Amino acid sequence: MFDVLVAGGGASGFYAAIHIAEKNPNLKIGILEKGKDVLSKVKISGGGRCNVTHAEFDPKEMSKNYPRGEKEILGPFHNYCSGDTVGFFHERGVNLKIEEDGRMFPETNSSQTIIDCFLKEVTKLGIKVITQSAIKNIEPLPEEKGWKIICVKGVFECKKVLIATGSSPKIWSILEKLGHTIVPPVPSLFTFNTKDNRISNIPGVSTYAKVKVLPKKKTATKVTVALKSAPKQEAVLESEGPILVTHWGLSGPAILKLSAWGANVLNNYNYKFDILVNWLPDFHKGAIVDYLMQIKEVEAKKTILRTKAVELPRRLWVNLVKASGINETVKWADVTKAQLQLLANQLTNCKISIDGKSTFKEEFVTAGGVDLKEINFKTYKSKNLPNLYFAGEVINVDAITGGFNFQNAWTSGYLAAQGILSEL
């Protein structure tokens, strides 16, 4: 009989197990991992560097990065946030560095540093790690004395169980049968696929832009993301930030924000929808027409294609000029106002059809999971079942990219550990 069994050998599971064992070394603790290796998501995250957390140290501001769970996770962040995470790793000889965008990585730039830290801790603390032990079922012991976990490697019993299996349809199914409500999972954090000629031949181009997702029908629910001004055209989602042109379409922070905040809406659209891109978010169409008319007077003898009258990557400017029907020989002196209006439309109101999605690097994140109403967020204990706790992405909490999903893992793992300790 284990005192505590952690289902799932990932970030939140290891973090919880370490905190429990440190506080009470006499407890018998085990980690069950279905795969051959533990911490596999930690290994590949951040391009193999592991984006441990984000340098946002204010709990309220931190919580704003969670499309699902913003309200519920605020209290937990007041108890344990990014500064505590930094302290945890520093105490164990792992120093983190802050990058320009606020993301935090180990100074070694290697996720193996984080993995080695965890493996060293579980060895030192005597935590038993059992790999290749996929869970077949979880059953309550009589008289609420704990749980029986049936694995491919055998049957284990424990007083307390922590479910930290991430986005696992199998585990969600088991939890549903036990009496928990599961919010249907949909992908989050993905890039947009398109074969639009204006961007298909310029992969690698990056610029700052505003993006709107247009509704498929008038009754679509209105959602906004980081609005900086009132939208002049109806949109179901809106985001502003860097955009990256890829071989398959569009990526970058502005697109990833839309994919996270609009996870459910875009799933309902079957990932086929139109977006409007304002490549010059400081301008609207009328203002840019006036500006281009001024350029026409000043640069009369130059060709439009080679002038690049606005702050845009040159390859993108060339493509948008061509899309306006202006060929490479046309000079500013010869361009008509009607042509400049077409160019202004391409610059500020560029409509692109999206057809599908792609996973963002290795950052596979899912929206959905155990319904938040059924969790006590002071301890991450189940409100429905005794001796059962949760941590990480198994619950319906997810974040935008930037280290926020890992911070959810650390915070929930820590608080679940404290909740378990209070009852043992």
Side-chain angles (χ1 to χ4, degrees):
M1 167 77 79
F2 282 87
D3 292 295
V4 183
L5 273 176
V6 176
S12 58
F14 265 77
Y15 208 70
I18 289 166
H19 279 288
I20 295 167
E22 257 189 344
K23 199 78 174 278
N24 190 341
N26 298 319
L27 295 176
K28 187 180 180 185
I29 303 165
I31 298 174
L32 300 171
E33 166 56 42
K34 69 176 181 179
K36 188 174 66 172
D37 299 308
V38 294
L39 301 162
S40 56
K41 196 167 179 180
V42 171
K43 188 169 183 64
I44 61 175
S45 72
R49 295 198 297 148
C50 188
N51 185 183
V52 176
T53 187
H54 194 93
E56 175 53 75
F57 301 106
D58 179 81
K60 188 167 180 59
E61 291 303 311
M62 176 66 92
S63 71
K64 291 178 181 177
N65 295 284
Y66 296 79
R68 281 141 299 270
E70 177 181 350
K71 177 185 168 187
E72 291 82 0
I73 207 166
L74 178 57
F77 280 157
H78 276 288
N79 287 320
Y80 197 92
C81 204
S82 43
D84 300 294
T85 301
V86 173
F88 171 87
F89 286 107
H90 180 72
E91 287 166 13
R92 289 156 183 80
V94 177
N95 293 323
L96 305 181
K97 60 175 181 175
I98 305 172
E99 301 208 335
E100 196 174 326
D101 58 5
R103 294 181 301 161
M104 298 190 75
F105 295 88
E107 286 183 346
T108 58
N109 272 332
S110 172
S111 58
Q112 194 60 46
T113 303
I114 304 300
I115 293 170
D116 290 345
C117 171
F118 283 150
L119 294 179
K120 180 182 175 183
E121 288 297 305
V122 296
T123 301
K124 180 178 78 178
L125 295 165
I127 298 167
K128 188 171 184 179
V129 179
I130 307 161
T131 57
Q132 294 180 302
S133 54
I135 295 169
K136 295 167 75 175
N137 204 11
I138 301 172
E139 299 174 2
L141 291 174
E143 299 175 11
E144 297 187 356
K145 289 186 176 177
W147 293 91
K148 180 195 293 185
I149 302 182
I150 302 157
C151 299
V152 294
K153 276 196 171 179
V155 178
F156 302 94
E157 292 186 354
C158 62
K159 295 174 185 174
K160 309 285 180 186
V161 64
L162 172 64
I163 307 294
T165 48
S167 303
S168 169
K170 171 71 176 172
I171 298 300
W172 281 330
S173 176
I174 292 170
L175 290 171
E176 201 164 32
K177 287 171 186 171
L178 286 169
H180 266 289
T181 305
I182 304 300
V183 177
V186 296
S188 181
L189 284 188
F190 50 84
T191 60
F192 295 176
N193 294 355
T194 181
K195 294 180 180 177
D196 193 287
N197 290 333
R198 289 165 291 184
I199 60 172
S200 61
N201 64 340
I202 55 170
V205 164
S206 179
T207 190
Y208 192 93
K210 181 182 283 186
V211 190
K212 294 178 180 180
V213 173
L214 298 180
K216 276 203 162 183
K217 53 186 178 181
K218 291 180 182 176
T219 56
T221 305
K222 182 167 182 176
V223 184
T224 57
V225 181
L227 282 177
K228 293 197 175 178
S229 60
K232 292 182 185 283
Q233 182 164 358
E234 185 68 23
V236 291
L237 296 155
E238 184 171 330
S239 179
E240 189 172 320
I243 286 184
L244 173 67
V245 179
T246 69
H247 288 285
W248 56 87
L250 294 169
S251 184
I255 299 298
L256 294 169
K257 273 187 190 177
L258 290 176
S259 74
W261 287 93
N264 290 301
V265 173
L266 301 182
N267 179 69
N268 290 339
Y269 286 176
N270 199 27
Y271 309 105
K272 296 178 190 295
F273 52 91
D274 291 333
I275 61 172
L276 282 181
V277 182
N278 183 347
W279 300 105
L280 303 168
D282 291 334
F283 292 90
H284 55 77
K285 184 181 176 181
I288 204 69
V289 169
D290 293 341
Y291 177 72
L292 292 174
M293 290 297 288
Q294 292 174 28
I295 300 293
K296 175 179 166 69
E297 298 299 321
V298 176
E299 305 285 6
K301 294 182 180 180
K302 293 182 180 178
T303 61
I304 295 172
L305 211 66
R306 292 185 180 181
T307 308
K308 194 170 82 73
V310 294
E311 284 299 315
L312 274 185
R314 181 166 293 280
R315 288 192 293 163
L316 178 60
W317 165 259
V318 168
N319 281 6
L320 295 177
V321 169
K322 288 179 178 177
S324 308
I326 300 170
N327 69 44
E328 53 193 49
T329 62
V330 175
K331 295 180 179 178
W332 285 99
D334 303 321
V335 73
T336 66
K337 185 171 183 180
Q339 286 176 308
L340 290 183
Q341 285 176 328
L342 288 172
L343 176 55
N345 201 57
Q346 291 290 342
L347 291 166
T348 61
N349 214 34
C350 184
K351 190 174 183 179
I352 296 174
S353 292
I354 303 302
D355 185 13
K357 62 176 177 57
S358 294
T359 302
F360 173 62
K361 298 182 180 177
E362 297 85 10
E363 305 289 343
F364 40 92
V365 173
T366 301
V370 178
D371 194 312
L372 304 185
K373 295 187 188 75
E374 300 173 355
I375 300 163
N376 177 343
F377 277 89
K378 290 181 179 178
T379 59
Y380 282 81
K381 185 180 180 182
S382 165
K383 290 181 179 178
N384 298 12
L385 300 162
N387 306 308
L388 179 67
Y389 294 77
F390 301 104
E393 286 181 36
V394 70
I395 66 175
N396 187 26
V397 172
D398 65 283
I400 62 172
T401 186
F404 302 107
N405 281 296
F406 268 130
Q407 187 54 52
N408 173 47
W410 314 135
T411 295
S412 58
Y414 173 83
L415 290 178
Q418 304 314 304
I420 289 168
L421 283 162
S422 72
E423 292 190 348
L424 284 174

